[in-house]
Amino acid sequence: MTSDKNRVVIFDTTMRDGEQSPGASMSLEEKKQISRVFDELGIDVIEAGFPIASPGDFEAVTEVSKILKKSIPCGLSRHNKKDIDACYEALKAAPRFRIHTFISTSSLHMKHKLNKSPEEVVEAIKENVTYARKFTDDVEWSCEDGTRTDMDFICKTVELAINCGAKTINIPDTVGYSVPAEFKKIIETLINKVPNIDKAILSTHCHNDLGLAVANSLAGVSAGARQIECTINGIGERAGNAALEEIVMAMKTRNDLMPFKTGIKTELLSKASKVVSNATGFPVQFNKAIVGKNAFAHEAGIHQDGMLKNRNTYEIMTPESVGVKQTSLVMGKHSGRHAFKEKLNDLGYMGITDDIIQIAFGKFKVLADKKKHVYDEDIAALVDDSLIKEDNVINLKSLRVFAGTGEPQRADMTLEVYGEIKKATETGDGPVDAIFKCVKKLYPHDVILKLYQVHAVTEGTDAQATVSVRIEENGKTTVGQAADTDTLVASANAYLNALNKMIIKRKRTAPEEEEYEQQKMKGI
Ligand code: KIV
Ligand code: ZN
């Protein structure tokens, strides 16, 4: 029997740790869209960003705090008053909010990263956890690099943080170094040795460098932790964080061994995965547990035969339980705006502005004219494409491409760049090269193309193509995505999307650099 003592708090950090994935960056609109889906999904606490890090992060935390109806918004801060003040300022519009403050406790980090003695770290905890408590009674404290910290020192600092008012104590496996038996032991030791541990909830925050993030998190819960920090699709710094969908479905499917419950509406997991994948531009690997395209596909004849006789032969959970529907033929060119809006609701697009619906509906009509069957995936792709464009400063106005054997491939392009219409013609080593050269001519830049990838949204030669492009500039990367039945149009838009995201990133992290780029453009 599940009882409240077995309720596990799900703390999502997709928009904070997840956004630290190299290449992942989400626009404000995308974060707002994700927040609506996460709120509906039933996530308990949503870490929306690191408010002091940049004006963009501050704004995102503020806006997300206003959107959430059930989930508690949270902001991250280091151990200093400026960070904590920024968290409070960004979160204060919400009726309830959490401040998450962290400091490293391992000898390695204290010495080489913080240049502080253990005594100084102890002082910093006292001062800053107490300070954060002035703004809210929901304060979370994390000991960064916790799993490589001397056990007596973690016990001492955890006890202190609780005495200063922290209600959640998070134990990060910051570098993904721990293994389940060891992580379990750490949680058990804290429960047995810290005298005031019953005044706080213990939390796990596991990174996936050894592929053990989910296993370590579950080991932590079996030892007594009652909050798990995780991200949708497991995105995050380096190899990522524990994947929310895997944790939740593991506890649900093996409830006989892990009698824990969460507030997650699992039928929305697939939708949440798609929204995050589209916003970050990170495709979900086909064989990814729970949300991968192949997670419920049965290829071997012997398996298909077993499935027809009894689904339990090869299925440990149903696709419906995580919101995977059989691809359905949805609408045709005669479907109206109302039916389209209903469809968007069904697909989990909540709170989209009328302008975006109008743009997406226009695209749907064009698509329905071109394409015999319009599937859910097609609709999702074109809505995501419309959402992506909201913050763009460079937009494709027209494109003609001359490709084929013999002739040099050529592209004629018109772009709107910071409100100005510009035209160019370029030849290239293939049509995509010609297109990218046009973009470079119209918006001169020095980014390096790191990845160009095409895949079909659905089946058939009339399928829309989704193109992903990853670019790099001064060590920063962004990923752009776009879908269209014309692969070359999708290629141009994906490249522009990556560039637009780079511009947003520049504005957030180096506004003076972006100002300089804009001045340069105006001088052309
Ligand atoms: O991995 C980590 O240690 C973190 C902390 C800030 C919680 O993300
Ligand atoms: Zn982390």
Side-chain angles (χ1 to χ4, degrees):
M1 255 302 275
T2 331
S3 67
D4 270 351
K5 70 176 182 8
N6 285 339
R7 170 71 156 82
V8 174
V9 173
I10 298 295
F11 176 116
D12 178 274
T13 182
T14 304
M15 289 186 275
R16 198 277 298 168
D17 215 326
E19 208 192 25
Q20 287 171 219
S21 310
S25 69
M26 303 166 214
S27 69
L28 180 60
E29 262 329 297
E30 286 163 341
K31 285 192 175 174
K32 283 159 77 175
Q33 176 64 17
I34 288 175
S35 311
R36 289 185 195 102
V37 175
F38 281 11
D39 199 28
E40 183 75 9
L41 178 64
I43 290 171
D44 299 290
V45 185
I46 297 179
E47 188 165 57
F50 192 177
I52 197 78
S54 69
D57 253 48
F58 183 92
E59 192 184 5
V61 177
T62 308
E63 292 306 313
V64 169
S65 303
K66 291 183 198 155
I67 286 172
L68 299 180
K69 295 194 175 79
K70 290 173 266 169
S71 312
I72 297 174
C74 171
L76 184 68
S77 72
R78 289 165 299 188
H79 271 27
N80 67 61
K81 293 200 164 76
K82 265 191 171 170
D83 279 37
I84 296 170
D85 288 343
C87 266
Y88 169 66
E89 289 301 324
L91 292 161
K92 67 184 181 193
R96 287 193 305 157
F97 59 85
R98 176 177 296 188
I99 294 179
H100 176 194
T101 185
F102 75 99
I103 191 162
S104 293
T105 49
S106 67
S107 309
L108 197 69
H109 276 220
M110 288 191 291
K111 182 164 176 219
H112 297 288
K113 186 185 134 175
L114 298 178
N115 196 19
K116 280 192 195 303
S117 66
E119 293 70 32
E120 285 172 312
V121 167
V122 164
E123 266 318 298
I125 297 169
K126 212 182 279 173
E127 204 175 308
N128 290 284
V129 175
T130 310
Y131 185 67
R133 270 300 303 263
K134 290 191 196 312
F135 301 108
T136 172
D137 60 5
D138 192 351
V139 171
E140 171 171 332
W141 179 77
S142 284
C143 44
E144 192 185 2
D145 207 20
T147 53
R148 292 193 299 170
T149 299
D150 169 71
M151 204 58 229
D152 285 341
F153 192 59
I154 319 193
C155 288
K156 179 175 168 176
T157 51
V158 166
E159 183 181 352
L160 172 65
I162 298 173
N163 274 337
C164 295
K167 290 278 169 11
T168 303
I169 297 292
N170 184 40
I171 310 300
D173 183 26
T174 303
V175 288
Y177 181 68
S178 205
V179 299
E182 179 189 45
F183 196 75
K184 185 166 187 243
K185 186 92 198 329
I186 293 173
I187 300 294
E188 279 169 354
T189 308
L190 287 169
I191 291 176
N192 292 331
K193 289 211 169 145
V194 175
N196 54 1
I197 200 73
D198 58 317
K199 307 264 181 316
I201 289 181
L202 269 171
S203 165
T204 69
H205 178 108
C206 299
H207 279 269
N208 206 29
D209 300 65
L210 293 174
L212 294 170
V214 169
N216 286 338
S217 309
L218 294 174
V221 170
S222 70
R226 285 295 176 272
Q227 173 176 287
I228 299 181
E229 300 200 354
C230 44
T231 59
I232 288 286
N233 298 338
I235 63 169
E237 191 79 50
R238 303 181 312 278
N241 290 62
L244 184 152
E245 62 281 3
E246 294 178 20
I247 280 165
V248 169
M249 289 313 289
M251 291 193 289
K252 184 169 174 171
T253 308
R254 294 312 311 272
N255 210 253
D256 54 331
L257 296 179
M258 295 179 282
F260 309 112
K261 65 174 181 186
T262 70
I264 298 294
K265 289 183 195 137
T266 61
E267 323 75 61
L268 289 176
L269 285 171
S270 169
K271 176 72 228 162
S273 162
K274 289 200 178 98
V275 169
V276 170
S277 164
N278 289 327
T280 52
F282 279 25
V284 176
Q285 82 197 52
F286 282 10
N287 60 326
K288 165 85 182 57
I290 318 296
V291 290
K293 204 174 175 144
N294 289 352
F296 294 94
H298 302 273
E299 182 77 9
I302 196 166
H303 288 203
Q304 289 173 349
D305 184 52
M307 284 288 289
L308 289 172
K309 289 176 177 143
N310 182 333
R311 297 190 76 86
N312 291 334
T313 49
Y314 289 102
E315 202 169 76
I316 58 164
M317 58 198 151
T318 64
E320 293 78 24
S321 67
V322 299
V324 172
K325 295 184 199 124
Q326 293 307 318
T327 298
S328 57
L329 180 61
V330 284
M331 301 205 298
K333 60 179 167 184
H334 301 297
S335 307
R337 201 169 179 278
H338 183 71
F340 184 73
K341 226 173 153 173
E342 288 284 296
K343 184 46 120 186
L344 295 189
N345 262 336
D346 273 8
L347 292 173
Y349 289 96
M350 290 157 287
I352 300 184
T353 61
D354 280 350
D355 285 358
I356 297 285
I357 294 178
Q358 197 48 44
I359 297 170
F361 183 62
K363 286 187 183 174
F364 159 70
K365 285 287 180 185
V366 174
L367 186 66
D369 258 342
K370 282 197 222 163
K371 196 172 181 289
K372 218 158 105 198
H373 304 307
V374 179
Y375 298 94
D376 285 359
E377 291 89 334
D378 287 314
I379 297 197
L382 59 85
V383 178
D384 294 328
D385 214 41
S386 314
L387 281 168
I388 282 167
K389 296 226 165 64
E390 275 235 310
D391 298 324
N392 286 2
V393 292
I394 313 174
N395 288 299
L396 181 68
K397 289 291 163 193
S398 70
L399 176 67
R400 274 167 67 84
V401 181
F402 304 88
T405 52
E407 301 294 315
Q409 286 79 30
R410 197 181 91 218
D412 293 347
M413 180 180 280
T414 308
L415 287 188
E416 186 189 59
V417 184
Y418 290 104
E420 204 183 314
I421 300 294
K422 294 166 173 267
K423 290 176 194 289
T425 296
E426 286 289 323
T427 52
D429 199 0
V432 176
D433 188 42
I435 290 170
F436 288 8
K437 277 186 175 156
C438 279
V439 176
K440 192 155 187 172
K441 190 161 186 191
L442 299 175
Y443 177 76
H445 57 268
D446 295 321
V447 307
I448 300 162
L449 179 67
K450 292 296 219 185
L451 173 106
Y452 168 79
Q453 197 170 289
V454 186
H455 66 265
V457 175
T458 56
E459 280 136 38
T461 50
D462 65 350
Q464 289 193 90
T466 293
V467 176
S468 304
V469 165
R470 189 166 76 224
I471 56 173
E472 190 184 297
E473 179 188 75
N474 302 331
K476 293 188 205 97
T477 54
T478 57
V479 180
Q481 259 193 346
D484 201 286
T485 45
D486 186 325
T487 312
L488 296 174
V489 173
S491 301
N493 276 325
Y495 191 60
L496 292 175
N497 180 230
L499 271 180
N500 278 305
K501 285 191 164 183
M502 188 60 85
I503 293 168
I504 293 172
K505 209 167 198 173
R506 258 192 238 137
K507 275 191 200 151
R508 281 165 51 175
T509 55
E512 52 314 318
E513 241 175 67
E514 175 47 24
E515 186 71 19
Y516 174 69
E517 292 295 330
Q518 271 191 46
Q519 299 302 342
K520 249 184 15 192
M521 278 306 304
K522 285 181 187 144
I524 287 164

